[in-house]
Amino acid sequence: MPGSIPLTTCLSPTVYKMVCELGFEVQGSVEISDILDGDNQVCWHTICGKVSHLATGQGLDYVESVRQLGPLCDAVHTHLLSLPNEKYEEAFQDCFQWTNNCELFTKALAVLKSLDGTQISLHMMKMTSCLEFSLGDVYLTVGKNCPFLLRDLLASEELSKIFSQPVMDLFRVFLGSPESLNLRNILWHGFASPQEIPTKYCSMLLLLTAGLGQLLQMRASNTRSTIVRRSPFLFHNLQEMHVFPDLDEKVLSLAEKLIEKSQFVLPHMVPFWIEAITAFRQGRYADCVILSLSQLETSLRLIFTTVNDCPDRILTAESTTLYTTFDEVLAKQLNNASDNQLPSTLGEPAMEFLWDFLNHQEGPRVRDHLSHGEIQLNEFPKQIANDLLAFSVVLLYKQLEEVHFHKEITALYSLTDAAESYQSRFHPIALLQKQVLQCIDSLQEWQLLPFPSLDHKTGPEEQDVPGNSLHSEMAQILSLLQVHIKTSFSNEDLKSWLQTDRWFVSMKDLCNKRISNLYCHRWVLEAVSILRKISTQFLLVSENIVSTSRFRYEQWLNKTLRSRQRQNYLRMLCSMKSLSSVGRLIITLVVLHLHNIHSISMKTHLEYQKYLKYLKSILQYAENMSTCTNAEKNRWDEAIQLTCKITIKIRMFIEKCNLE
């Protein structure tokens, strides 16, 4: 934790000078009439004229630009604070329409007048993310593939053509580079404390945003172009993401006490933590998460620098390579190739939660979506705010030097239990486990399917089933798998076990077991990707058979089947018993592969390539089967033929592996 000398800023000396001092060095008053004309139109030539370029002509001189822009920011700030709210809205409300969040910018004046550094910093975070997303919409009116990073967006030729290069250079001074003021990043990454960002920069960003709206209005009148709004990001499967019990007032009050005592919190960041809890109480869930994320990053960076003995990395840096963010904090190794000690300090469940919440591509990726302005703030879901705040409270508690509030601390037990038992939901391995469970549930439906009463001559058992070797191949495969399956699955006869309900119970139990997934080898992820495709296709096969069987049964009862359809239905009934056994076998193999997935990294490259080829052959079978069992195809003889071929391939592969 922090050393004997209290840490009072997370800004490096150079960054601190850039943000907190340079803009105050040039003294002198600037008339607001030089910045805004009588119609409240931004005078770009005055402001852009203060932006300096390096003598080499190869870039911006950020230091001199910030120094020269300081007095202009003072003038803008003084002017805005002097305006009644009604006058401010009358002058600029229309100019904020292009952001698609006019209310956020019109409310900013009241926030500025509050002189509350925490609220102003929070508002700047929301403004910069909204500005980024809106600039992306503008970019897409003339270009494709909008840049992911704000600095790349501001440096794009597309925006320079729309707004002019001087205007974009001006924004780069405020937001666009680690060498600039970089206001967005030092706030979103939790480097700046509530009092460290001069409020005049918030005022200037407000005016510049309005000025962009004015430029777009002029452009629209000349070109009749319109901005097409991208749809906001929506969270799916919220119930699955709801991990922790609902936070009540007892826990929230205790959390406020923990903030004052926990080594997890830097003293100068306390106001952000308190405001996050206040926001949750008031139902401002986006505000709660924005503040919690930035402070969680700050505090985890504090632990990261302590356990890895690199205290200098708690501070901002002038180089992106040393900018210690969540990416570096959660990585397997440091940039010197030594192991990151944070995972062993926090424990695997906590690391899995952080990766789920922040990083996995199929997870919510809350930080990315929020910071890039992709989420409608007023519709942010309570469940996510609850989980992030609850997780943060657990870390606050675990970083106490000594236990306080002995009687009250019992209120946290349900939270700590949830945190310590957390298992990933969005890692590819976890998603494969979920898909296999869906396959198992679908296969279980086969037992509930209705079958018509058939006489001896037309019964499915009398039909000619191609591939008479199928049952023999199945028996050989189960015999070869005996040692593996008995160890992992069952101690009874495999053939009978595969046909009973005990198979379903065994599979579900195994799919709910934790499988380590932090920092998986590339080969592991590639194999898991193929296994997921197999399970996806086989789920489709099962759903095809279930839906077709029910539909044909209704037709059979209603006597609406034509002769050819009747014969096809009978062939389907003949095939289902064999397909059911093979389906269970395929799922069993997938689970076996999954529970031995990390052994892949021990294979030679040649062994790995053979293994992938084998998995891809099963995938090809599953894809072909989804076609054959489609309601429009109903190619049951072909389905059995394909099944015979794949069982031979499976048997040969297992035989070879057993010999090796």
Side-chain angles (χ1 to χ4, degrees):
M1 296 306 100
S4 57
I5 301 175
L7 188 66
T8 58
T9 181
C10 291
L11 302 178
S12 67
T14 303
V15 173
Y16 186 89
K17 182 176 179 64
M18 171 70 75
V19 174
C20 304
E21 297 176 356
L22 277 178
F24 298 88
E25 287 187 354
V26 175
Q27 300 298 315
S29 61
V30 176
E31 295 295 331
I32 192 63
S33 58
D34 292 334
I35 301 172
L36 279 173
D37 67 16
D39 296 323
N40 288 309
Q41 295 290 306
V42 174
C43 302
W44 290 103
H45 65 277
T46 300
I47 308 175
C48 294
K50 299 297 182 180
V51 175
S52 300
H53 292 76
L54 295 172
T56 60
Q58 296 300 309
L60 298 177
D61 184 338
Y62 293 107
V63 169
E64 189 59 28
S65 296
V66 171
R67 186 179 285 120
Q68 294 301 323
L69 284 165
L72 278 71
C73 295
D74 287 326
V76 169
H77 185 58
T78 301
H79 175 68
L80 291 183
L81 291 184
S82 71
L83 291 176
N85 290 352
E86 299 78 14
K87 285 283 187 183
Y88 168 74
E89 290 186 18
E90 181 184 335
F92 299 111
Q93 188 169 22
D94 287 346
C95 304
F96 293 131
Q97 295 295 336
W98 74 279
T99 66
N100 209 29
N101 195 345
C102 184
E103 184 181 8
L104 176 67
F105 291 90
T106 53
K107 280 185 175 180
L109 183 62
V111 175
L112 280 171
K113 289 181 177 180
S114 73
L115 303 179
D116 183 333
T118 304
Q119 291 292 340
I120 293 171
S121 295
L122 170 62
H123 216 77
M124 284 188 71
M125 293 167 77
K126 293 192 287 186
M127 284 168 50
T128 53
S129 64
C130 179
L131 180 62
E132 177 179 352
F133 193 68
S134 300
L135 284 171
D137 287 339
V138 174
Y139 175 99
L140 291 171
T141 62
V142 295
K144 297 179 180 179
N145 301 320
C146 180
F148 179 72
L149 297 177
L150 177 58
R151 68 182 182 193
D152 295 334
L153 184 61
L154 295 177
S156 67
E157 291 184 10
E158 286 79 359
L159 288 188
S160 293
K161 290 178 181 178
I162 294 172
F163 294 115
S164 81
Q165 187 63 56
V167 170
M168 287 295 96
D169 286 345
L170 179 62
F171 272 88
R172 289 169 63 199
V173 171
F174 286 93
L175 305 172
S177 165
E179 299 172 349
S180 70
L181 284 168
N182 204 17
L183 298 175
R184 175 205 180 273
N185 283 346
I186 62 174
L187 279 167
W188 272 100
H189 290 297
F191 287 111
S193 67
Q195 305 303 324
E196 286 185 308
I197 304 293
T199 54
K200 66 181 182 179
Y201 292 147
C202 183
S203 294
M204 181 58 94
L205 278 177
L206 267 180
L207 186 74
L208 297 181
T209 302
L212 292 184
Q214 294 168 358
L215 292 175
L216 287 172
Q217 288 171 350
M218 288 187 287
R219 183 172 183 269
S221 64
N222 294 330
T223 64
R224 296 186 178 180
S225 62
T226 57
I227 301 173
V228 178
R229 304 293 180 184
R230 288 170 290 173
S231 299
F233 174 81
L234 299 175
F235 292 104
H236 300 288
N237 301 322
L238 284 174
Q239 192 57 42
E240 185 174 338
M241 288 188 277
H242 194 15
V243 178
F244 290 89
D246 290 341
L247 299 176
D248 56 23
E249 182 55 37
K250 187 175 183 180
V251 172
L252 295 176
S253 297
L254 179 56
E256 289 176 323
K257 296 179 182 179
L258 291 174
I259 289 168
E260 300 290 342
K261 300 290 185 180
S262 177
Q263 295 294 297
F264 195 59
V265 180
L266 289 170
H268 56 287
M269 297 297 188
V270 166
F272 282 140
W273 283 94
I274 297 297
E275 180 58 26
I277 293 175
T278 300
F280 186 86
R281 280 196 180 102
Q282 296 175 351
R284 296 184 288 117
Y285 300 119
D287 289 358
C288 170
V289 171
I290 290 170
L291 292 167
S292 298
L293 278 171
S294 63
Q295 291 315 300
L296 187 61
E297 183 167 4
T298 299
S299 297
L300 287 174
R301 185 163 50 238
L302 176 64
I303 299 177
F304 170 89
T305 56
T306 302
V307 298
N308 290 303
D309 193 24
C310 50
D312 54 308
R313 295 191 65 176
I314 192 69
L315 304 178
T316 48
E318 293 71 60
S319 168
T320 54
T321 57
L322 296 177
Y323 212 87
T324 308
T325 64
F326 271 131
D327 289 342
E328 287 73 31
V329 167
L330 301 181
K332 182 179 182 180
Q333 294 183 317
L334 309 182
N335 55 3
N336 63 3
S338 61
D339 286 342
N340 180 5
Q341 298 303 309
L342 184 71
S344 59
T345 302
L346 290 185
E348 195 162 306
M351 291 296 293
E352 287 188 5
F353 177 85
L354 289 166
W355 271 86
D356 267 7
F357 208 80
L358 301 171
N359 285 3
H360 289 315
Q361 287 302 304
E362 295 175 74
R365 291 175 51 231
V366 179
R367 162 65 163 276
D368 280 351
H369 294 302
L370 257 182
S371 64
H372 294 295
E374 300 169 12
I375 297 175
Q376 287 190 327
L377 300 178
N378 58 352
E379 297 179 5
F380 196 90
K382 178 181 179 180
Q383 293 97 316
I384 292 179
N386 185 90
D387 275 7
L388 182 62
L389 190 56
F391 179 77
S392 301
V393 170
V394 171
L395 293 184
L396 287 170
Y397 167 60
K398 289 191 173 184
Q399 294 298 321
L400 287 172
E401 281 193 324
E402 56 184 86
V403 178
H404 297 76
F405 332 117
H406 291 276
K407 293 182 179 179
E408 298 171 88
I409 219 70
T410 56
L412 299 182
Y413 288 168
S414 61
L415 301 187
T416 56
D417 288 346
E420 290 167 1
S421 63
Y422 185 82
Q423 295 185 46
S424 175
R425 286 154 168 76
F426 300 106
H427 187 279
I429 286 177
L431 293 171
L432 174 56
Q433 289 175 292
K434 180 181 176 182
Q435 286 176 311
V436 171
L437 286 171
Q438 291 174 325
C439 287
I440 293 168
D441 288 339
S442 185
L443 281 170
Q444 206 161 13
E445 288 187 54
W446 291 32
Q447 297 181 329
L448 305 176
L449 292 173
F451 289 89
S453 299
L454 302 171
D455 58 42
H456 182 70
K457 293 182 180 180
T458 59
E461 63 277 8
E462 297 297 323
Q463 301 300 308
D464 179 28
V465 179
N468 293 324
S469 64
L470 179 58
H471 294 296
S472 173
E473 289 291 343
M474 286 280 294
Q476 290 185 64
I477 291 170
L478 290 172
S479 177
L480 291 166
L481 289 175
Q482 187 88 21
V483 62
H484 305 290
I485 295 180
K486 277 197 172 182
T487 300
S488 304
F489 298 89
S490 169
N491 285 315
E492 54 193 290
D493 178 69
L494 294 182
K495 189 173 181 181
S496 62
W497 168 73
L498 199 65
Q499 297 298 327
T500 64
D501 287 345
R502 290 189 294 277
W503 179 85
F504 294 109
V505 175
S506 299
M507 290 296 101
K508 288 185 176 182
D509 286 346
L510 278 163
C511 283
N512 286 318
K513 285 188 176 180
R514 177 188 290 275
I515 299 175
S516 180
N517 56 48
L518 281 178
Y519 312 124
C520 288
H521 193 283
R522 179 177 60 83
W523 289 359
V524 169
L525 294 176
E526 190 172 5
V528 167
S529 175
I530 298 174
L531 290 171
R532 287 183 66 190
K533 291 175 183 177
I534 291 171
S535 63
T536 298
Q537 289 297 320
F538 206 83
L539 178 60
L540 183 57
V541 170
S542 181
E543 290 174 342
N544 284 344
I545 289 175
V546 169
S547 60
T548 299
S549 178
R550 286 174 175 160
F551 180 63
R552 292 302 187 200
Y553 177 73
E554 289 296 322
Q555 290 182 308
W556 180 282
L557 290 182
N558 296 329
K559 299 181 178 180
T560 57
L561 286 170
R562 297 189 299 273
S563 175
R564 186 173 179 180
Q565 290 174 326
R566 181 185 176 89
Q567 292 304 312
N568 192 274
Y569 180 37
L570 293 175
R571 280 195 293 275
M572 175 185 175
L573 295 177
C574 287
S575 305
M576 282 180 64
K577 184 174 182 180
S578 296
L579 294 180
S580 173
S581 295
V582 174
R584 295 185 188 199
L585 174 64
I586 296 290
I587 294 303
T588 302
L589 288 170
V590 169
V591 175
L592 260 180
H593 289 305
L594 179 57
H595 278 268
N596 292 281
I597 199 70
H598 291 294
S599 65
I600 294 174
S601 60
M602 307 300 291
K603 294 180 182 291
T604 66
H605 187 266
L606 180 60
E607 289 171 337
Y608 172 65
Q609 291 302 318
K610 290 179 179 179
Y611 177 70
L612 277 192
K613 184 177 180 181
Y614 162 68
L615 290 186
K616 288 177 180 177
S617 69
I618 298 177
L619 174 58
Q620 184 65 60
Y621 162 73
E623 290 171 343
N624 290 337
M625 284 292 289
S626 68
T627 300
C628 289
T629 58
N630 185 283
E632 297 177 358
K633 301 294 183 181
N634 285 304
R635 299 204 293 259
W636 302 106
D637 291 346
E638 184 179 342
I640 292 296
Q641 291 168 359
L642 289 168
T643 301
C644 289
K645 290 179 181 178
I646 195 61
T647 53
I648 293 171
K649 285 187 177 181
I650 291 171
R651 189 252 307 160
M652 291 174 64
F653 181 82
I654 297 172
E655 281 180 339
K656 190 170 183 180
C657 288
N658 286 352
L659 287 174
E660 293 173 351

